[in-house]
Amino acid sequence: MPSPLLIWQYLCARLDLDPDNEDGMTTTEVAVITFLLVGAAIVVMGVIYNAAKGNADNIPDPKAP
């Protein structure tokens, strides 16, 4: 099976695309994508924090004999 890099290079050559060309990307698009990724990371960290806190709160207290 061909590697994904080989497939990517073939498609770029076949469709006459330059993968290093950034003509279509504007600063606003990059900023919006970055904002969405940061927002998603904050949500994921919140979920992980709540799960860890819930697990820590469920640890039973040791009782003296």
Side-chain angles (χ1 to χ4, degrees):
M1 176 167 189
S3 71
L5 179 61
L6 183 63
I7 294 171
W8 174 252
Q9 290 172 345
Y10 170 77
L11 288 174
C12 286
R14 182 78 174 155
L15 299 173
D16 195 28
L17 299 174
D18 182 13
D20 295 328
N21 189 0
E22 295 182 3
D23 285 346
M25 294 293 286
T26 64
T27 305
T28 305
E29 291 169 340
V30 173
V32 168
I33 292 170
T34 303
F35 175 76
L36 292 174
L37 289 174
V38 168
I42 290 172
V43 169
V44 168
M45 289 304 297
V47 169
I48 291 172
Y49 174 79
N50 285 333
K53 183 158 176 48
N55 286 339
D57 290 341
N58 288 332
I59 297 174
D61 292 329
K63 305 238 186 269

